Amino acid sequence: MTIVWLLAVFGGIYLLQHGLYRIWGKRGITYERSFSKPYVYAGQTVVMTEEIVNRKLLPIPWLRVETVMPSMLRFPNRSAETAISSGQLLQHHASLFSLPPFTRVVRRHEVLCVRRGIYRVPSLACTFGDLFGTAFGAMDLKTNCSIVVYPRVKDAAELPLPARRFMQSALGMPELFLENHHHVAGVRAYRSGDSLRQVNWNATAKTGQLLVNKRETMLDNEATVILNAELMDDATNRRMPPEAFEEALSYAASVIRHIQNSGGKAGLVYNGKSADEHQALLRVPPQAGSGQLLRILRLMAGFEPVVRRELSHVLEELLASGLRRANVLLISAFLTPSQERMIERLRRAGNRVETLVLYRERRAGA
């Protein structure tokens, strides 16, 4: 009989507290999650902060917050209150809390941003437990937690030779070949080292002074990077791995950031899939300033190697537009013979066009 009474009392206490928690347990609970920075570069770390508050007298014995996050946001240091199970694309993140009355708990996690992208955590699932360890309820929360991971950037010394050569030209470094094309802007006095083929004999005869043709120069700090999304060379049936696209993005981002930070103007042309589903070709005209740099980097964070317009069509449009005196860096996995001929036509039209072909760079580094 004593055992029966004990069981009855125990059962009554359990039902009473369980009912109490079911009615008031969820009230006064607020939870917020945020990153310490709105954006970082790939390979950098950021701090993710969890803040949970119990604004009532009733304590919460345990509360589990669960969410599904991208696997590219990794947690190198894990505490006993955190459980993480990772897959190839997604990971399950769970945090366990115990909340005394009128308590605010702040927990910080170091997050390694492995790859570029725009990552959002739109919702969370909270499970509440009573004094006996039984779950008494659940609650879904909406959050605005997000972070933008820009492409990985490299120092100028780490970039391939074509990229370094292009940056020197775009930033106005004096090079002899900058006047080596067919467009004449006038005449100037002969200087030591000028070729006799450059002498303007008509002007020399009229003035009695040795004059040479003055070529239009491209000593302009405006630069445009053309990024090709194509990874398949149909002519040779050769395909570059997806990592090559990340490498191309890293080169493009590094060049643009270096030019912008050096006082130049940088723009971007991209023929792949971007955030705008209705835009077949992304064009960002060259401009200066940190706002331009952040805009381009954010766009690049969402790029996918899905071709919207073939590179040949992009080059044809540039030729048809009458582009002149432009500094252009073309980053592509491959170049076909017809594309190389169009690039040469752009050069003959007075443009400075540098090509960074990933296949050649990888083969040279092998």
Side-chain angles (χ1 to χ4, degrees):
M1 182 63 70
T2 304
I3 296 177
V4 174
W5 277 105
L6 288 175
L7 291 175
V9 171
F10 181 81
I13 294 174
Y14 171 79
L15 293 175
L16 180 63
Q17 65 88 32
H18 191 76
L20 186 66
Y21 275 107
R22 285 181 64 89
I23 297 172
W24 287 292
K26 299 180 186 179
R27 297 182 181 180
I29 300 294
T30 59
Y31 176 89
E32 293 183 3
R33 174 179 290 184
S34 62
F35 290 101
S36 58
K37 299 178 182 178
Y39 57 84
V40 293
Y41 291 93
Q44 293 183 340
T45 58
V46 68
V47 176
M48 187 186 78
T49 301
E50 295 180 285
E51 180 178 318
I52 190 166
V53 181
N54 182 14
R55 304 179 186 279
K56 61 180 180 299
L57 183 62
L58 184 67
I60 303 297
W62 63 269
L63 185 153
R64 186 170 63 248
V65 180
E66 300 173 277
T67 185
V68 176
M69 300 179 64
S71 295
M72 293 300 125
L73 302 179
R74 297 180 183 173
F75 296 82
N77 303 317
R78 305 182 184 181
S79 61
E81 299 85 4
T82 304
I84 301 173
S85 56
S86 300
Q88 186 174 1
L89 298 176
L90 299 174
Q91 62 181 329
H92 180 265
H93 181 276
S95 292
L96 187 64
F97 297 89
S98 180
L99 301 175
F102 303 106
T103 301
R104 174 176 170 267
V105 177
V106 177
R107 191 173 293 168
R108 295 178 174 85
H109 309 271
E110 187 179 61
V111 180
L112 175 62
C113 302
V114 178
R115 180 174 291 184
R116 64 162 187 98
I118 302 174
Y119 302 110
R120 299 181 177 89
V121 185
S123 61
L124 307 161
C126 300
T127 304
F128 297 84
D130 60 17
L131 293 170
F132 290 87
T134 306
F136 65 81
M139 180 172 59
D140 293 331
L141 298 175
K142 301 296 182 180
T143 69
N144 295 321
C145 183
S146 64
I147 187 171
V148 179
V149 182
Y150 296 152
R152 191 184 302 269
V153 294
K154 302 175 182 290
D155 294 333
E158 299 177 300
L159 295 174
L161 178 59
R164 300 199 304 270
R165 191 163 54 212
F166 171 77
M167 290 188 298
Q168 290 175 351
S169 173
L171 293 173
M173 297 294 290
E175 298 180 4
L176 294 177
F177 58 78
L178 287 177
E179 289 188 343
N180 189 21
H181 54 81
H182 302 287
H183 295 279
V184 178
V187 293
R188 60 171 172 81
Y190 177 85
R191 293 196 299 252
S192 176
D194 287 337
S195 172
L196 290 178
R197 290 179 299 177
Q198 296 292 98
V199 175
N200 189 317
W201 297 109
N202 291 331
T204 299
K206 291 178 181 179
T207 61
Q209 180 185 2
L210 188 59
L211 300 176
V212 297
N213 291 324
K214 179 182 178 182
R215 303 293 183 178
E216 291 181 341
T217 65
M218 289 173 290
L219 292 178
D220 192 353
N221 60 0
E222 288 191 2
T224 299
V225 176
I226 301 177
L227 180 62
N228 184 20
E230 301 173 24
L231 295 178
M232 177 68 183
D233 184 9
D234 294 328
T236 59
N237 196 27
R238 186 169 48 199
R239 179 182 293 274
M240 295 288 282
E243 291 77 14
F245 183 69
E246 299 300 321
E247 186 178 22
L249 276 170
S250 177
Y251 290 152
S254 302
V255 169
I256 291 173
R257 192 181 75 155
H258 181 77
I259 291 175
Q260 293 286 94
N261 290 344
S262 300
K265 303 175 183 178
L268 177 68
V269 176
Y270 179 59
N271 64 338
K273 185 178 179 180
S274 61
D276 190 348
E277 296 288 338
H278 305 288
Q279 193 171 29
L281 182 65
L282 175 68
R283 295 178 184 268
V284 182
Q287 291 183 9
S290 59
Q292 171 82 344
L293 175 61
L294 295 180
R295 178 192 174 194
I296 292 177
L297 291 175
R298 182 177 178 83
L299 288 170
M300 296 176 75
F303 283 176
E304 297 181 32
V306 178
V307 180
R308 290 286 186 82
R309 182 171 296 179
E310 293 183 358
L311 177 61
S312 298
H313 296 161
V314 176
L315 295 175
E316 288 175 357
E317 290 180 4
L318 291 178
L319 286 168
S321 68
L323 183 68
R324 289 180 57 192
R325 302 183 62 188
N327 295 311
V328 178
L329 173 64
L330 172 59
I331 302 177
S332 178
F334 306 97
L335 284 178
T336 65
S338 63
Q339 290 169 353
E340 290 182 341
R341 287 193 293 270
M342 284 188 281
I343 292 171
E344 189 59 34
R345 288 173 58 191
L346 284 171
R347 291 182 178 133
R348 289 199 300 268
N351 300 291
R352 172 73 158 87
V353 183
E354 192 72 56
T355 58
L356 199 167
V357 183
L358 298 178
Y359 176 73
R360 296 172 185 168
E361 295 296 329
R362 287 196 166 197
R363 186 171 57 182

